Amino acid sequence: MSADRTAVLSRQAAGSPPAAPPGTTGRTPRPDDRRSRRLFLIGMLAPMTVLLLAFTVYPFVSVLVNSLRHNNLTRPDEQGFAGLTNFANTVGEPGLLRALLLTVGMVLVAVVAEFALGTLAASLLWRPLRGSRLYLALLVLPFGATPVAAYLSWRLMLNPDGGQINAALAAVGLPTPGWTSEPMLAVVALVVVDIWQWAPFITLVMLAGLKSLPDETFEAAALDGASALQRLVRIALPMLKPLVAFVVTIRAIDAVRTFDSIWIITGGGPGAATETLVVRIYRTAFNDLHIGEASALGLLLLVVLFIVGKRFAAPALQRLEH
Amino acid sequence: MRHEASFRLSRRGLLTSALGVGGALALGACASREGDTGTPSATTGTQTLGASDMQWDRFKGETLNLLLCEHWWTSAVSKRFPEFEALTGMKIKANTLSEDSYYQQALVALSSGATTYDALMVGNLQAGQYMNAGWLEPLDSYFGGSGLVNADWFDTDDFFAPARKASSLNGELMALPLSAEAGVVIYRKDLAAQAGVTAFPTQESLVDASAKLSAAMERPFAGRGRRGLDIVWTWTNYFLTQGGEFYNGNTPTVDSPEAVAATELYVQQLLTKYGPKGASNMSWLEATGSVNEGRAALYTDASGLLSVVLDKNSSKHTDQIAVSRWPDSAAAKAAPNYWYWMAGIPKASRKKEQAALFYAWAMSKETATSVSAESGSPSARESVWSNEDFLSFYPGDMSTEIVANLQAVQPDRVPYARPTFPSEADALSLELIKVLVDGKDPKRAMADAAAAMARAGR
């Protein structure tokens, strides 16, 4: 966005009349025009402002207030200001660091794998391919499926005792792992489910990006002898760098918040093997009824997401804008 | 070996529904129940309820908002709502949710203090939290002789005494128990006979029975091992029957010899040695699957799960299923664990009397009997368990075993009413799973569990 246009928009937002284009004689708007413009702006902004206040600002303030209060629903008589006690209690809990590291680890592995597989699939669909429409339709299914039903199906398929996956492995004489009962395998299983669900999303986004690139560049590169892989890695991906940064960041933030798949497939188990930060927050709030501590944990998660967003998402958005 | 039957419960396609993804693509896949025809039985109804000598139409024209959880009782009673509406002139708006969603919704509704729900179901584990937090309206004034409900006709004494106790706080009735389940031994009578297993005189004998049954199948035992109440619920049957107690005053005592013995028996021997592969992530959903698909022959869990194990739609061996009451231990008499679904009125409800009138109908002997006779729902009303139509769901003397178990329940010994018990049970479950997954020494695990429970209950 150019500086001139930014200036124009900010003047408009402030209710000032737009500057007259150079070389013309601008008419000074009458007060009625200004009022109607202001009403128009208010009318356009009001619905979103109300929604933001109700569903973002209010919950955030509420979480902030709760994190500083004794708010344990099992002890309704013990309410009041708690200072940083909730933060101290949650940080001092054994398992918090583990949950944090597990969250980071799962997100890293899942997002990298999703990006690699998603981009690979997008590159295959980039050029005309027989049946590509069918492939595209199939790609939408995983993240278009009803999540809870899909995860419940995964849970039953992954069941070490009688699940379809182990039944298939046993049928061909292969070992039958304890997918959801062995701590490390349970983590792997959840990452695989996440990849199954979200790699297609990255495929679609990357495909849209690839299709927006000028054909001439790649035709010239092909004439110069660049292979398909080189054209993808050395030309297309650098050209799509802002989009890549954006989609990876958005997916990472979303992956940090993953809850339903973990809760349904493993319940955070076996033991606490798959208890991520979000599962921990849920358990603290809805099982233990420690709303104050859950709020403190929620704020910690927000800080993590803010750092990720500030470091990666904001620069990517700026580049996309340019 | 006590009682056996070829069950003919014809509902509860939960497992089938869940597996059958397709149209049942929802968490609450537990809704598909064969036999629910949607046609209310003619046996209940206004004539009998009319004899209750109550003014049923005093709130004519009003609407009641209900929060319900998917359950066979819910399904059966919901079909009868038109009867209630015809009787009272009131309207019912029911929000029926799957279990996880229901718990969240109930918590939000009750804790906000400004709920729009006038009546709601209450889970056993949550009852203590809700009662102690003062979120439920005491019910004695409605069902103990008010002008609203005819107390003699409604007869709260007809609810199983342990269920009444579990629904009370400091002697005051805070909810009405609507279904009653207790721990039982479910087994395959054909395989047991082949293996020479004829009875379960003690819970320790389950190990011997498993060893004998392992000749017929690799892992003959099934039980829950998933984190949280799943593993703790089943373990509690063994623990109480060993003579263990959860607390001494406010101090957790799960480091007692009884707790160690129960852990050695259930977790270390039955689950680890003879239990299914993947037991550490098994809830009742997977455990009943093991039995239904013929991979397990011996299963200890709640009697309510007979509806799944004996459902011909999802089980291959319903004719061979038998049930035995919870056995004694070498050290003490049987003390099976229990689970009651209850029904309560939010303190913040603006239609408490209307809600009480609804319960007077929904949980009356007449409606409870009809609902149970039609669906097999294990009512918490003792009188229902002598109804011939209902008992036909439990052929032979299986019902005798279940009733014996329900009467043997000792609600005071299970701290559901303790508001911090959900967190403490979660802490306990983590240590039990360490025994199961990591082979942790039971004695050390139980010592750590006691410490973890003390921290969780802080």
Side-chain angles (χ1 to χ4, degrees):
Chain A
M1 184 180 295
S2 71
D4 289 346
R5 175 136 179 79
T6 308
V8 169
L9 282 180
S10 49
R11 272 197 296 275
Q12 283 176 336
S16 312
T24 64
T25 307
R27 177 177 68 84
T28 306
R30 290 177 304 172
D32 282 357
D33 290 345
R34 267 186 247 157
R35 193 176 302 118
S36 62
R37 189 176 295 118
R38 193 173 294 138
L39 284 174
F40 174 73
L41 282 173
I42 289 170
M44 293 298 283
L45 289 172
M48 186 48 79
T49 306
V50 169
L51 286 176
L52 277 174
L53 284 172
F55 296 111
T56 303
V57 177
Y58 171 72
F60 174 75
V61 172
S62 177
V63 165
L64 189 66
V65 169
N66 276 321
S67 72
L68 299 171
R69 292 181 68 237
H70 290 293
N71 192 351
N72 180 343
L73 296 181
T74 64
R75 295 189 177 145
D77 299 335
E78 296 174 19
Q79 303 281 334
F81 184 68
L84 297 177
T85 310
N86 289 323
F87 290 91
N89 285 345
T90 52
V91 170
E93 274 287 313
L96 178 67
L97 182 64
R98 193 185 177 289
L100 188 62
L101 292 176
L102 178 72
T103 306
V104 172
M106 286 176 72
V107 169
L108 273 178
V109 175
V111 173
V112 167
E114 283 159 16
F115 179 73
L117 290 171
T119 306
L120 184 66
S123 70
L124 294 174
L125 294 166
W126 184 12
R127 297 301 176 213
L129 183 71
R130 198 172 172 185
S132 58
R133 284 188 177 180
L134 175 66
Y135 300 139
L136 280 174
L138 290 175
L139 278 174
V140 179
L141 283 180
F143 64 90
T146 306
V148 171
Y151 302 142
L152 194 55
S153 301
W154 272 106
R155 174 174 163 183
L156 294 171
M157 287 194 298
L158 288 164
N159 182 10
D161 181 53
Q164 289 88 334
I165 292 173
N166 273 2
L169 291 173
V172 293
L174 291 172
T176 54
W179 296 110
T180 51
S181 60
E182 289 171 26
M184 198 59 220
L185 279 179
V187 174
V188 172
L190 289 173
V191 169
V192 168
V193 172
D194 201 74
I195 293 170
W196 165 81
Q197 186 167 31
W198 292 110
F201 169 73
I202 294 194
T203 300
L204 291 182
V205 174
M206 291 303 292
L207 186 59
L210 288 171
K211 284 191 180 286
S212 71
L213 297 177
D215 287 342
E216 305 81 45
T217 311
F218 296 94
E219 287 164 6
L223 285 174
D224 288 342
S227 67
L229 185 65
Q230 286 172 323
R231 293 198 296 273
L232 175 70
V233 175
R234 299 207 173 159
I235 303 173
L237 288 183
M239 290 174 83
L240 291 174
K241 207 172 166 186
L243 181 69
V244 169
F246 177 71
V247 76
V248 166
T249 308
I250 293 298
R251 184 73 271 282
I253 290 173
D254 197 43
V256 168
R257 298 187 299 131
T258 301
F259 169 74
D260 39 8
S261 59
I262 302 173
W263 189 250
I264 290 166
I265 295 171
T266 65
T274 55
E275 187 177 81
T276 59
L277 206 50
V278 174
V279 173
R280 201 176 174 84
I281 292 171
Y282 177 86
R283 209 182 280 283
T284 306
F286 289 97
N287 185 66
D288 304 346
L289 305 190
H290 289 187
I291 304 301
E293 290 183 10
S295 300
L297 272 173
L299 283 179
L300 286 177
L301 179 66
L302 191 68
V303 169
V304 172
L305 292 178
F306 180 77
I307 291 169
V308 172
K310 181 86 180 158
R311 175 71 183 83
F312 301 104
L317 275 171
Q318 277 176 356
R319 278 192 219 117
L320 268 183
E321 207 169 280
H322 287 296
Chain B
M1 181 100 36
R2 302 215 171 103
H3 301 277
E4 47 197 49
S6 56
F7 207 72
R8 68 174 184 82
L9 275 183
S10 58
R11 73 199 159 269
R12 253 315 179 194
L14 191 150
L15 201 57
T16 318
S17 305
L19 283 166
V21 191
L25 290 186
L27 176 62
C30 36
S32 166
R33 289 157 200 177
E34 200 182 284
D36 289 342
T37 61
T39 309
S41 156
T43 54
T44 342
T46 51
Q47 305 101 316
T48 318
L49 288 163
S52 61
D53 194 24
M54 284 165 48
Q55 189 193 339
W56 287 97
D57 61 352
R58 63 173 69 203
F59 301 114
K60 192 173 180 178
E62 296 197 32
T63 300
L64 261 187
N65 282 321
L66 311 181
L67 176 60
L68 304 175
C69 176
E70 283 182 352
H71 182 270
W72 48 357
W73 177 83
T74 308
S75 175
V77 84
S78 296
K79 289 183 165 49
R80 296 179 166 270
F81 284 166
E83 291 177 14
F84 174 75
E85 291 174 338
L87 179 69
T88 61
M90 294 168 69
K91 288 279 170 210
I92 288 182
K93 270 173 65 182
N95 187 12
T96 305
L97 302 173
S98 63
E99 205 164 310
D100 269 356
S101 306
Y102 155 79
Y103 284 130
Q104 290 173 37
Q105 184 82 353
L107 180 63
V108 171
L110 290 170
S111 64
S112 69
T115 179
T116 55
Y117 293 113
D118 303 307
L120 82 172
M121 283 169 71
V122 178
N124 210 145
L125 184 63
Q126 287 70 29
Q129 292 178 330
Y130 298 174
M131 291 177 193
N132 282 283
W135 294 339
L136 296 180
E137 172 79 359
L139 299 181
D140 280 340
S141 59
Y142 299 94
F143 298 97
S146 69
L148 183 70
V149 178
N150 181 337
D152 292 336
W153 163 79
F154 189 74
D155 189 11
T156 50
D157 289 343
D158 184 43
F159 293 105
F160 285 110
R164 251 186 358 255
K165 203 167 190 176
S167 309
S168 303
L169 181 69
N170 303 324
E172 190 164 26
L173 195 65
M174 303 297 288
L176 294 169
L178 61 86
S179 72
E181 304 174 33
V184 286
V185 179
I186 299 167
Y187 63 97
R188 284 273 299 275
K189 61 183 178 184
D190 54 337
L191 297 176
Q194 283 171 25
V197 177
T198 55
F200 305 105
T202 61
Q203 59 183 12
E204 290 83 356
S205 72
L206 292 168
V207 177
D208 185 46
S210 298
K212 288 178 178 168
L213 286 163
S214 62
M217 53 180 60
E218 193 184 347
R219 292 180 171 269
F221 184 79
R224 299 193 226 178
R226 194 169 160 105
R227 179 178 175 178
L229 192 65
D230 275 308
I231 190 169
V232 169
W233 196 92
T234 311
W235 176 85
T236 298
N237 289 281
Y238 294 88
F239 173 56
L240 298 182
T241 301
Q242 287 292 337
E245 299 294 343
F246 276 95
Y247 301 95
N248 179 11
N250 206 30
T251 308
T253 50
V254 295
D255 50 354
S256 64
E258 292 83 6
V260 175
T263 307
E264 285 171 348
L265 177 57
Y266 178 58
V267 184
Q268 203 175 43
Q269 296 193 62
L270 290 170
L271 272 187
T272 308
K273 205 167 169 187
Y274 299 109
K277 186 167 187 163
S280 62
N281 195 41
M282 279 201 166
S283 71
W284 63 266
L285 182 66
E286 288 89 355
T288 52
S290 291
V291 178
N292 286 0
E293 287 162 30
R295 294 189 302 277
L298 187 58
Y299 176 37
T300 57
D301 212 317
S303 51
L305 291 173
L306 283 166
S307 64
V308 181
V309 174
L310 301 169
D311 177 11
K312 287 188 188 301
N313 290 322
S314 60
S315 177
K316 299 173 182 170
H317 313 282
T318 53
D319 294 343
Q320 298 300 333
I321 293 293
V323 172
S324 171
R325 72 184 69 180
W326 198 269
D328 298 339
S329 74
K333 297 292 273 180
N337 195 3
Y338 66 95
W339 183 267
Y340 305 127
W341 270 105
M342 306 170 196
I345 300 176
K347 194 117 186 171
S349 166
R350 281 168 293 178
K351 294 179 181 172
K352 296 188 182 79
E353 288 198 324
Q354 293 87 328
L357 199 68
F358 169 72
Y359 287 145
W361 167 80
M363 304 185 69
S364 64
K365 285 180 189 171
E366 289 83 351
T367 306
T369 303
S370 299
V371 161
S372 295
E374 189 179 292
S375 67
S377 177
S379 175
R381 275 195 176 275
E382 202 162 351
S383 60
V384 171
W385 289 83
S386 57
N387 176 275
E388 289 302 319
D389 288 338
F390 170 61
L391 291 182
S392 67
F393 282 101
Y394 300 89
D397 44 8
M398 189 185 278
S399 61
T400 313
E401 291 298 283
I402 297 170
V403 170
N405 251 22
L406 292 174
Q407 286 168 333
V409 160
Q410 300 171 32
D412 286 344
R413 295 180 64 196
V414 189
Y416 289 135
R418 191 178 161 92
T420 49
F421 188 61
S423 338
E424 292 158 345
D426 187 55
L428 169 61
S429 76
L430 287 175
E431 289 301 324
L432 292 173
I433 289 169
K434 283 179 187 167
V435 177
L436 180 60
V437 175
D438 306 330
K440 188 171 180 177
D441 173 52
K443 197 171 178 181
R444 220 181 106 217
M446 288 299 95
D448 290 346
M453 286 175 73
R455 277 198 306 276
R458 71 182 190 276

